[in-house]
Amino acid sequence: MSGRIRLVLGGILCVTAWGVMSQGRAEPRGIVSDSVVTARSASVERSGYVQPSTRCFRAERKNALVLFLFFAASILAYIALAKRGATLYIRKIAGLDAVDEAVGRATEMGRKVLYIPGIMSVDNIQTVASMSILGYVAERTATYGTQLEVPNKDPLVLATAREVVKEAYLKAGRPDYFQEDMVNYVTYDQFAYTAAIQGLMTRERPATNFLIGSFYAESLIMAEAGNAAGAIQVAGTAELAQLPFFVVACDYTLIGEELYAASAYLSREPLILGSIKGQDLVKVALIVLIIAGVALSSAGIGEFAEFFTQR
Amino acid sequence: MKRQIPVILAFLTGTFVVCAFFIEEPHVVGLNRKLDELLMIVTAFALPLGVVSFLQHHSKKIGRRQIGWRNSIVSLLSFTVMACTGVLEPFIRADKQAVAFNWLFDWMFTPLQATMFSLLAFMIASAAFRAFRVRNLEAAILMIAAVIVMLGRVPIGKYVLPGSGPLTEWIMNIPNLAAQRGILIGAALGAASMAIRIILGIERPYMGGAGE
């Protein structure tokens, strides 16, 4: 899809959202909503009966809409900048720099690379981010001729991961190396999956383990099993409660936003880099807003902070 | 065209879901709910794919006598027994109950699950041992904070270290929460940025990589 079409689509997205906000008080007559029904006393006086009407826009979410519009606009602006050839800097992420080293280690040792895409389905954005990294890892294993295994908990992730790995092997010019069995299904149960992975790490001793995606109670069990097996481990998650476990048990950890920046960092695509810069701009704006909110609230002006904290 | 259709679908559904977050019109809310239900239906259709993959993977392992092939026999046997008792038993029994399946689930599967979960306690102990080795200033600060928090969380703590309770509350509510919120804000922005990239077709992980 060309960049111009993409910008138009982005514009449509912003305009649609803005249109929704601007017609926030539209009240179609005669429609009774299950959710919110408002009755205006004026209509009661005029007709003698209650005139039900629906609220179209969730007014309590206007703060989210303002931030979303600013966010989308800044991302689109930076994407346009990137298209014009601007140099965009992205800081070093040790965990992502280690991907090549980790795959190289497995190649030298003649052992396999194990990639765990988390335990959630493809509707979880962390799993989607994990698929981007899997594509890169699979391209590397295809190039070096290293064995790769991707055991899955969710059948939808299985289908997606298989497609991603297949595409990566094609891109690397090694479609003959791809085997469907590389990406296999284990079970839908969390701890049965954990037991299977732990057993696999202990028996087959993969040289490299990637634990990237959404993890819960199984995170430490898997990471410790990999550590005990002597594997180099790269983990990544945005689950706050699991981060300390990964930091302790793995060699490299992608913390929160680093997981989502991985595709930009690894591919160095100017368009994706542009979106990361747009995200940074919003982060700066949020810091300013937080400081302003604290200062104004301390000065007794609570409306500013209230606007951004109402749900 | 084969590559364009998924991108257009991603754009349309993505835009709809974003708009639905701000709209409470009943039709929009209903359609949004239907999309969620659709995911469950698609997952149900994908499950046979998983079963086929499972059977193929373990059959190959046994056939090639790969590492752990005996475990594959146990996996296939367990799968067959659970599937047969769960699916066939209600048809065979007069009371339509899956008694054997329930027995296997309650007295074999659940304890095995609990065993796996309980391993976590030992893993935490070994991970904590590694984390608390004082090798530099940061590790020393981490260890001191951890000792205070551990003492502040147990009844005997106030006798061992007076004031550990309030100090624990301060550590958890001020520096710890500030760091957590920092990570949370960064992660939320990263997720939103990625969502926009996917909606606009800049990134297509579902098709094996970045856009053109």
Side-chain angles (χ1 to χ4, degrees):
Chain A
M1 204 164 27
S2 77
R4 199 165 289 175
I5 297 174
R6 199 171 286 132
L7 273 176
V8 171
L9 291 180
I12 294 171
L13 184 67
C14 290
V15 170
T16 315
W18 183 253
V20 168
M21 189 180 164
S22 59
Q23 61 162 294
R25 291 292 157 199
E27 295 175 343
R29 290 158 69 91
I31 298 172
V32 181
S33 161
D34 306 336
S35 47
V36 180
V37 177
T38 58
R40 285 186 296 180
S41 54
S43 60
V44 178
E45 283 165 18
R46 263 201 317 273
S47 55
Y49 60 89
V50 174
Q51 179 76 49
S53 60
T54 58
R55 258 193 338 159
C56 192
F57 175 63
R58 290 182 194 269
E60 71 278 9
R61 289 182 179 173
K62 61 179 177 289
N63 49 10
L65 186 60
V66 168
L67 279 177
F68 171 73
L69 288 173
F70 176 62
F71 193 52
S74 63
I75 284 177
L76 288 172
Y78 267 102
I79 286 173
L81 212 65
K83 276 186 75 68
R84 282 189 206 148
T87 315
L88 301 171
Y89 169 78
I90 185 165
R91 73 172 165 86
K92 272 179 84 71
I93 301 174
L96 294 172
D97 284 336
V99 170
D100 283 337
E101 178 200 330
V103 176
R105 181 180 188 257
T107 312
E108 283 169 11
M109 293 175 81
R111 291 205 221 140
K112 67 167 68 170
V113 170
L114 187 67
Y115 192 101
I116 318 288
I119 62 160
M120 299 308 283
S121 190
V122 279
D123 62 333
N124 187 302
I125 193 86
Q126 293 179 61
T127 310
V128 179
S130 176
M131 291 296 113
S132 292
I133 303 172
L134 172 62
Y136 183 81
V137 171
E139 218 177 308
R140 283 284 169 272
T141 56
T143 308
Y144 300 143
T146 315
Q147 208 184 333
L148 171 72
E149 184 163 354
V150 189
N152 291 280
K153 180 191 164 278
D154 188 274
L156 279 179
V157 179
L158 167 82
T160 316
R162 196 170 270 177
E163 204 57 39
V164 167
V165 173
K166 197 176 177 179
E167 188 81 16
Y169 273 70
L170 264 171
K171 212 188 273 182
R174 299 280 178 86
D176 49 316
Y177 280 18
F178 173 76
Q179 291 169 351
E180 289 214 329
D181 198 35
M182 281 175 172
V183 186
N184 54 64
Y185 186 73
V186 180
T187 171
Y188 202 75
D189 184 78
Q190 181 187 13
F191 286 108
Y193 180 69
T194 312
I197 301 298
Q198 197 183 12
L200 201 152
M201 285 174 174
T202 311
R203 282 191 306 272
E204 302 190 18
R205 305 179 86 80
T208 303
N209 296 331
F210 289 97
L211 299 123
I212 298 174
S214 181
F215 290 88
Y216 291 92
E218 71 291 339
S219 65
L220 188 64
I221 301 176
M222 287 183 188
E224 275 292 292
N227 192 296
I232 183 169
Q233 301 201 99
V234 180
T237 188
E239 299 294 341
L240 279 180
Q242 310 309 323
L243 277 171
F245 295 147
F246 278 150
V247 170
V248 167
C250 297
D251 299 280
Y252 301 96
T253 307
L254 302 173
I255 298 173
E257 62 183 319
E258 291 177 348
L259 171 67
Y260 302 113
S263 55
Y265 193 86
L266 295 171
S267 69
R268 296 280 162 182
E269 284 268 339
L271 293 183
I272 309 180
L273 279 175
S275 72
I276 302 289
K277 295 305 286 185
Q279 181 188 323
D280 283 349
L281 180 72
V282 178
K283 209 183 293 173
V284 172
L286 279 181
I287 292 169
V288 172
L289 283 175
I290 289 170
I291 293 170
V294 170
L296 288 171
S297 297
S298 304
I301 308 163
E303 288 83 1
F304 182 79
E306 268 169 31
F307 176 78
F308 287 102
T309 49
Q310 67 176 203
R311 293 178 188 190
Chain B
M1 199 61 192
K2 197 180 160 191
R3 298 183 78 84
Q4 296 287 342
I5 290 173
V7 178
I8 293 167
L9 275 176
F11 174 76
L12 291 176
T13 46
T15 309
F16 174 77
V17 172
V18 169
C19 291
F21 180 76
F22 300 108
I23 296 172
E24 57 184 0
E25 201 279 323
H27 296 93
V28 176
V29 173
L31 192 58
N32 197 26
R33 207 172 291 148
K34 281 269 179 279
L35 278 178
D36 283 344
E37 286 169 12
L38 202 65
L39 181 79
M40 279 186 259
I41 294 166
V42 174
T43 307
F45 274 103
L47 203 56
L49 188 76
V51 172
V52 170
S53 166
F54 172 84
L55 295 174
Q56 280 179 343
H57 180 69
H58 289 289
S59 306
K60 264 186 199 169
K61 257 192 163 175
I62 296 166
R64 291 174 187 169
R65 297 286 190 274
Q66 286 175 342
I67 303 168
W69 64 276
R70 289 181 185 88
N71 297 354
S72 292
I73 296 176
V74 176
S75 296
L76 286 178
L77 269 176
S78 310
F79 172 79
T80 313
V81 170
M82 288 302 272
C84 288
T85 51
V87 176
L88 300 178
E89 208 189 348
F91 291 106
I92 297 165
R93 289 179 63 94
D95 57 1
K96 308 279 181 210
Q97 296 291 309
V99 178
F101 177 82
N102 288 337
W103 188 89
L104 285 168
F105 191 89
D106 291 342
W107 302 108
M108 292 192 83
F109 187 71
T110 308
L112 284 170
Q113 267 187 325
T115 306
M116 278 312 295
F117 189 46
S118 59
L119 276 181
L120 192 59
F122 301 100
M123 299 296 186
I124 287 175
S126 70
F129 174 73
R130 261 203 320 279
F132 297 155
R133 270 185 296 187
V134 183
R135 281 175 294 193
N136 49 36
L137 182 67
E138 286 90 348
I141 294 170
L142 181 71
M143 197 208 67
I144 292 165
V147 169
I148 294 169
V149 171
M150 282 191 283
L151 287 173
R153 292 280 194 229
V154 291
I156 201 170
K158 61 185 173 198
Y159 301 109
V160 180
L161 181 70
S164 60
L167 206 54
T168 295
E169 290 306 309
W170 183 84
I171 290 170
M172 295 306 286
N173 292 336
I174 311 295
N176 177 58
L177 200 61
Q180 278 199 12
R181 283 182 179 164
I183 295 171
L184 204 63
I185 291 171
L189 286 177
S193 166
M194 184 154 193
I196 291 175
R197 289 201 298 269
I198 291 169
I199 289 173
L200 296 180
I202 295 168
E203 196 175 340
R204 304 168 195 174
Y206 51 90
M207 284 166 69
E212 289 134 21

